[in-house]
Amino acid sequence: MTTQSLYNDMVEKMIDHVDNKTTDMAEDTLSVPSSAYTDPQIWQQEMDLIFKNRPVFVAMSNELPEPGCYKTLQFLDKPLLITRLADGSVRVMLNVCPHRAMQVVTEESGKRSRFTCSYHGWSFRNDGSLLAVSEPAKFGEVDKDCNGLPQLPSYEHGGMIFTVLNGDTTVNFEEYLGGMIKDIARLGFEHWHYCGKRTIYGANWKIAYDGYLEGYHFATAHPKTVTPRTYSNIMQFENYGPHILLGFPQRSIDKLKNVDKSDYWKHENDGYDFIRLLFPNVSIFVAPEITQIAQIIPGPTPAENTTHLYFIHPEAPQNEEQQQANENMMEWLRDVVDEEDYFMGLKIQKGVESNAHTHVTFGRNERGNQFFHKWVDYCLADDPGLPEPKL
């Protein structure tokens, strides 16, 4: 099925759901142990088998618009340095000096052709190779070829940059990201303007991600922000491997009844919205005002996460008024996620830690959550002989 046909089919189903007051549903409810959100051993397994062994998103392409641009990011226990090389390619490496393990680059972002460690002055090219050792005659012999910044796999497509934190893991990025990265690539993010970033803090990474996977909570958690635009508890799900395409009908979706069904795909944000969810930790919401890419980074404990909200727009602002409009939307969306979703998440964290109930339950209407948790369990089983979960 082509992307256009998939979209058309999803929109037709959303229209039908609105007319009949139904939603896309799983076959049954699903119980997940409360310990899945609190147990340190489970959390460490998730870090080792999911976050370190599979492709993870680390930067938007437009954060590094020119050769020499760089970005640093702390991802779990890995301090990352992401750079744009002279040939336009990207490099992802560990931001750790081979001399005494100092973080070489301490700024969050910038533009440089070389980096110098602030501890002892060793210098590196922006591809991570060792350029010079300070006072080499006094230090002793150093093999420059073996003392650069440790390299990680890098992959750039659809305006997004990915790596694998365990550099020894062999991963086929094209196969893993599959149809979802092709879906994203058609949007042309690499040509969009990078507006900025906001950072917020929340509960266990799965509690945070659960909130992006359903609209059952819209009416009660977002009565003044989301619900006026979007129906609560009406959703349509599709998947590309472990990744989810989630459709939400807007309250204006009825107007699409006057549109040829083969053209439904042209009307994203004009009757319906999609959330694109990259397993295990990224949510992309494309809106006409601004696009938000949420990146959930677990830790430093099972009860915590750091979420970076990246914002992009198809066009750079042409004046101060447009710039201020972007700033206002970034603040508004940050507040919605932080003060409504993540506020709830922190309360949920206290709830699961209380051991009041042995399990949490996902309803038939929370089909995306069920699929996500089945994929987490599949990854933790670490058995290639098991069949992949189905939506």
Side-chain angles (χ1 to χ4, degrees):
M1 180 182 291
T2 66
T3 301
Q4 295 177 6
S5 297
L6 177 66
Y7 287 8
N8 291 339
D9 181 64
M10 291 182 71
V11 175
E12 185 171 6
K13 289 175 179 176
M14 283 190 274
I15 292 172
D16 187 65
H17 287 319
V18 169
D19 286 346
N20 295 289
K21 296 181 171 58
T22 57
T23 190
D24 194 4
M25 296 198 297
E27 293 183 359
D28 205 345
T29 60
L30 176 73
S31 293
V32 172
S34 297
S35 59
Y37 299 101
T38 62
D39 188 290
Q41 291 185 330
I42 294 174
W43 184 84
Q44 191 59 57
Q45 282 185 303
E46 293 166 349
M47 300 309 102
D48 293 339
L49 295 174
I50 299 176
F51 280 91
K52 292 184 179 179
N53 248 17
R54 292 172 178 265
V56 289
F57 162 71
V58 293
M60 297 302 297
S61 296
N62 43 30
E63 289 185 85
L64 310 172
E66 300 173 350
C69 290
Y70 68 89
K71 168 190 174 177
T72 60
L73 175 70
Q74 185 69 36
F75 203 124
L76 304 182
D77 58 352
K78 307 294 185 183
L80 303 180
L81 175 61
I82 305 126
T83 64
R84 178 80 63 192
L85 306 188
D87 64 1
S89 64
V90 295
R91 187 67 57 89
V92 182
M93 59 199 102
L94 296 179
N95 183 21
V96 182
C97 183
H99 173 214
R100 296 272 292 279
M102 174 66 179
Q103 291 191 18
V104 175
V105 186
T106 55
E107 301 86 359
E108 186 174 330
S109 62
K111 185 177 181 181
R112 291 194 214 165
S113 61
R114 65 181 63 181
F115 305 105
T116 300
C117 180
S118 60
Y119 196 13
H120 293 95
W122 286 30
S123 60
F124 304 83
R125 298 178 182 87
N126 84 327
D127 64 358
S129 59
L130 179 60
L131 181 62
V133 174
S134 58
E135 300 193 57
K138 294 180 181 179
F139 186 86
E141 187 174 344
V142 174
D143 184 346
K144 290 184 178 180
D145 291 337
C146 299
N147 281 279
L149 302 181
Q151 305 291 301
L152 297 179
S154 60
Y155 176 79
E156 183 176 23
H157 191 58
M160 304 181 74
I161 300 169
F162 300 83
T163 193
V164 179
L165 298 177
N166 181 354
D168 295 331
T169 300
T170 300
V171 171
N172 185 324
F173 286 95
E174 298 274 357
E175 180 179 335
Y176 180 76
L177 296 169
M180 180 55 81
I181 199 63
K182 292 177 182 177
D183 182 297
I184 294 168
R186 61 175 290 277
L187 299 170
F189 284 167
E190 65 271 28
H191 304 298
W192 290 27
H193 172 71
Y194 180 69
C195 301
K197 183 181 79 171
R198 300 290 186 272
T199 299
I200 59 178
Y201 303 92
N204 175 274
W205 72 278
K206 288 180 294 187
I207 288 176
Y209 204 58
D210 279 335
Y212 293 100
L213 287 162
E214 48 88 1
Y216 185 29
H217 68 285
F218 286 176
T220 48
H222 305 297
K224 296 181 180 179
T225 52
V226 179
T227 304
R229 168 192 174 103
T230 307
Y231 283 100
S232 184
N233 200 25
I234 300 180
M235 301 152 281
Q236 185 63 39
F237 300 91
E238 294 295 341
N239 74 292
Y240 303 101
H243 318 296
I244 295 174
L245 181 64
L246 171 52
F248 291 113
Q250 296 176 2
R251 295 189 180 277
S252 61
I253 197 169
D254 274 357
K255 67 183 178 182
L256 296 185
K257 293 178 179 178
N258 299 319
V259 173
D260 189 297
K261 292 181 180 180
S262 63
D263 288 333
Y264 283 164
W265 66 274
K266 299 178 181 179
H267 291 266
E268 184 173 356
N269 302 137
D270 181 28
Y272 64 91
D273 296 302
F274 284 138
I275 302 291
R276 295 167 174 86
L277 297 130
L278 280 161
F279 184 86
N281 68 323
V282 173
S283 168
I284 301 172
F285 173 42
V286 178
E289 300 87 357
I290 205 165
T291 287
Q292 174 184 281
I293 298 96
Q295 174 198 42
I296 301 169
I297 298 180
T301 70
E304 301 171 86
N305 89 79
T306 297
T307 295
H308 299 300
L309 304 174
Y310 302 89
F311 296 96
I312 59 176
H313 194 277
E315 297 179 355
Q318 300 301 306
N319 51 52
E320 289 186 10
E321 183 180 0
Q322 291 179 359
Q323 175 66 32
Q324 190 59 52
N326 286 345
E327 292 293 328
N328 292 344
M329 279 306 302
M330 287 191 282
E331 291 297 308
W332 187 82
L333 284 167
R334 188 273 311 274
D335 290 347
V336 170
V337 178
D338 190 26
E339 297 174 8
E340 297 179 6
D341 290 299
Y342 278 37
F343 173 82
M344 295 283 185
L346 290 168
K347 299 297 184 185
I348 292 169
Q349 187 69 46
K350 295 296 185 184
V352 292
E353 289 173 353
S354 73
N355 296 314
H357 305 284
T358 59
H359 291 74
V360 300
T361 304
F362 292 99
R364 294 182 62 198
N365 56 329
E366 297 172 303
R367 192 180 184 194
N369 302 79
Q370 294 197 27
F371 183 68
F372 164 66
H373 283 275
K374 288 176 182 178
W375 260 96
V376 170
D377 290 344
Y378 169 78
C379 293
L380 297 190
D382 196 24
D383 182 354
L386 291 176
E388 292 185 352
K390 302 295 183 183
L391 184 64

